[in-house]
Amino acid sequence: MSLRKLLLLFSLVVSSLNVSATHLLGGEIIWKCQPNGTYKFTLVVYRDCGGITIATTPQTIANNAGVTITCSLVGISDVTKSCYLGTDSCVGSSSGEGNMQKYVFQSGDVTLTGTPPLSGWHFTWNSCCRPSSITNIISPGNQGYLLRAVMYPYSPPGQGSALSAGTTSNPTCYDSSPDFLEDPFVVACVGQDISYNNFGYDPDLDSLYYQLANPLQGSYWPGSTVTWSTGYSSTSPLPSSAGNTPANVDGVLGEISFNCTQVGSWATCVSIQSWRCGQLIGEIFRDIPIVTRSCPTDTTGLCSSLFVDSPPYFSVDLDTNYTFPISIQTDT
């Protein structure tokens, strides 16, 4: 084969990879402390229903704790908007509508040893690329994702040194990360006052604090922030010009509110910090876009007769596998 043909073939392959990679919408990483002293990590990845499927092969969470964390697929589910905005199914959806599929990858028991450094053990997963429909960053198709979570050291009151995660023969984990009770809310109507909550919780009953954070890109920690378009930033990822109410997060309650008058898809990232006895002990991040769309003004006949709307509920049950035995079950 001639050099010219090889170069042409290479350019076609690279082009197809860049186009097909824009199916990814974001995700999050969490960990749970197991009764046997080990940790179980969960990687959640969201894809655009209108794009190609995500690989279901095992995924690796990179880290600076000196361990191998391999996560295998455990489930796929739809995360779709209400019938008020159209279809409530992933099947037949077009790209950019905000309909998603949720891919959940989970590790086996992972043993961490020693204590995290002051900057924490950081756990990351990266991929390319962000959807070309993203409105608030420059050349989104050339910017990828670096999902992350951070586990910090913890010194109990009166104890001079940080707790150890134990040894290989005697693991003794001391903390579970926060988690999200709600799947990400990504679709909103333009010109309406919107309030929603990711409903963070902590199985150890640590105090939680919410804030907007930088969406990251790069192959490894610490990566770099995405390149924002003029007028946007990590703390102001939605339009803030006249007529808009900028995105705001209640640090204590986690409620996110805004009113956006522009149609678009906006890169955002929300962090949940867990605090114990005044010490930051863990932090997770949900990197996911918010889609704003024009919605019907006529409220007649918007929902299919087959659509069933049921109120949400939650129950609190005992779970003796954890130090603080509370398990919250939800129906969203």
Side-chain angles (χ1 to χ4, degrees):
M1 184 180 292
S2 69
L3 179 60
R4 182 178 179 180
K5 289 182 177 179
L6 281 172
L7 290 174
L8 177 60
L9 177 62
F10 177 77
S11 65
L12 288 173
V13 170
V14 171
S15 176
S16 66
L17 287 175
N18 286 338
V19 172
S20 63
T22 59
H23 59 282
L24 187 61
L25 291 180
E28 65 245 15
I29 297 171
I30 65 168
W31 70 83
K32 290 290 176 63
C33 186
Q34 302 293 101
N36 62 3
T38 64
Y39 292 83
K40 186 179 292 291
F41 287 81
T42 300
L43 165 68
V44 180
V45 179
Y46 301 96
R47 80 156 184 107
D48 191 323
C49 286
I52 65 172
T53 57
I54 292 175
T56 57
T57 51
Q59 303 293 309
T60 299
I61 296 178
N63 63 88
N64 64 332
V67 297
T68 299
I69 304 176
T70 303
C71 299
S72 299
L73 182 72
V74 295
I76 302 174
S77 58
D78 290 355
V79 181
T80 56
K81 56 187 177 291
S82 71
C83 69
Y84 180 81
L85 290 170
T87 177
D88 57 358
S89 171
C90 195
V91 177
S93 297
S94 298
S95 182
E97 290 183 340
N99 283 336
M100 303 184 299
Q101 274 193 323
K102 175 182 179 180
Y103 287 62
V104 180
F105 299 85
Q106 200 166 77
S107 74
D109 291 349
V110 175
T111 299
L112 302 179
T113 59
T115 59
L118 290 178
S119 58
W121 280 329
H122 39 77
F123 307 94
T124 62
W125 179 89
N126 73 285
S127 186
C128 180
C129 299
R130 294 180 184 266
S132 57
S133 58
I134 296 294
T135 314
N136 57 348
I137 62 177
I138 297 173
S139 300
N142 295 323
Q143 302 193 53
Y145 290 89
L146 185 65
L147 306 182
R148 80 273 200 191
V150 186
M151 182 189 303
Y152 295 99
Y154 170 64
S155 300
Q159 183 170 315
S161 59
L163 291 178
S164 172
T167 63
T168 302
S169 59
N170 184 31
T172 55
C173 64
Y174 60 85
D175 177 59
S176 293
S177 74
D179 197 356
F180 299 96
L181 288 178
E182 282 281 8
D183 288 330
F185 175 93
V186 296
V187 183
C189 298
V190 296
Q192 292 192 7
D193 291 330
I194 303 295
S195 294
Y196 77 96
N197 202 311
N198 289 298
F199 287 107
Y201 81 102
D202 192 296
D204 302 319
L205 306 185
D206 294 323
S207 299
L208 300 183
Y209 182 77
Y210 305 79
Q211 61 184 354
L212 290 170
N214 262 319
L216 295 184
Q217 61 173 329
S219 301
Y220 49 86
W221 181 269
S224 61
T225 183
V226 296
T227 305
W228 296 99
S229 299
T230 302
Y232 299 98
S233 66
S234 61
T235 56
S236 185
L238 271 66
S240 57
S241 56
N244 296 283
T245 302
N248 178 70
V249 179
D250 186 308
V252 176
L253 300 178
E255 184 171 272
I256 300 174
S257 57
F258 62 90
N259 186 320
C260 181
T261 62
Q262 299 173 224
V263 172
S265 182
W266 319 93
T268 67
C269 185
V270 175
S271 83
I272 304 181
Q273 297 178 340
S274 57
W275 292 76
R276 185 181 300 174
C277 298
Q279 299 176 56
L280 176 61
I281 192 171
E283 187 170 17
I284 63 171
F285 300 79
R286 171 173 276 176
D287 186 333
I288 201 77
I290 291 176
V291 177
T292 52
R293 300 182 59 197
S294 296
C295 298
T297 55
D298 179 10
T299 58
T300 303
L302 289 174
C303 297
S304 164
S305 60
L306 299 178
F307 182 82
V308 177
D309 191 11
S310 58
Y313 73 91
F314 76 92
S315 61
V316 180
D317 305 306
L318 291 179
D319 186 345
T320 56
N321 289 325
Y322 295 99
T323 304
F324 298 98
I326 291 181
S327 173
I328 301 179
Q329 309 297 325
T330 64
D331 176 13
T332 57

